[in-house]
Amino acid sequence: MILEKHISYLLFEHDCVIVPGFGGFVCNYSPAGIQSGKNRFTPPFKKISFNRSLKNNDGLLANRVSLGGSISYTEANLIISESVEQL
């Protein structure tokens, strides 16, 4: 199971995705900007940072894995745990 695809998908919808036992990916929104001296626009974007202190399972990733793989929530948590051990 490739967790990266699920994490990427969830980061579009949510500001934080926690990988239990590993850490959390946190998005910070940056608004669009104008550089008037250079006649340039910068589009809005999200800066993604990693926080290794966020390790408690909030269920978001496990729910996405269970729905995406048509498996139970418990099985999804086991898959996530095995993937974290490999990392």
Side-chain angles (χ1 to χ4, degrees):
M1 172 90 28
I2 300 174
L3 291 181
E4 296 87 8
K5 290 182 181 180
H6 295 294
I7 293 169
S8 176
Y9 175 83
L10 289 170
L11 284 173
F12 277 107
E13 300 292 324
H14 303 276
D15 290 332
C16 181
V17 176
I18 297 173
V19 181
F22 186 69
F25 295 93
V26 181
C27 293
N28 295 307
Y29 178 77
S30 292
I34 300 173
Q35 296 176 349
S36 58
K38 296 182 180 180
N39 295 325
R40 296 175 91 179
F41 293 97
T42 56
F45 63 95
K46 288 184 178 182
K47 294 179 185 177
I48 300 173
S49 59
F50 181 76
N51 186 340
R52 66 181 180 189
S53 298
L54 299 173
K55 295 185 179 184
N56 291 332
N57 188 0
D58 64 353
L60 185 65
L61 181 59
N63 188 44
R64 171 70 187 160
V65 170
S66 69
L67 292 175
S70 298
I71 57 174
S72 72
Y73 182 81
T74 305
E75 290 173 321
N77 276 317
L78 289 173
I79 289 172
I80 293 169
S81 295
E82 290 172 359
S83 297
V84 167
E85 285 178 22
Q86 291 177 357
L87 292 175

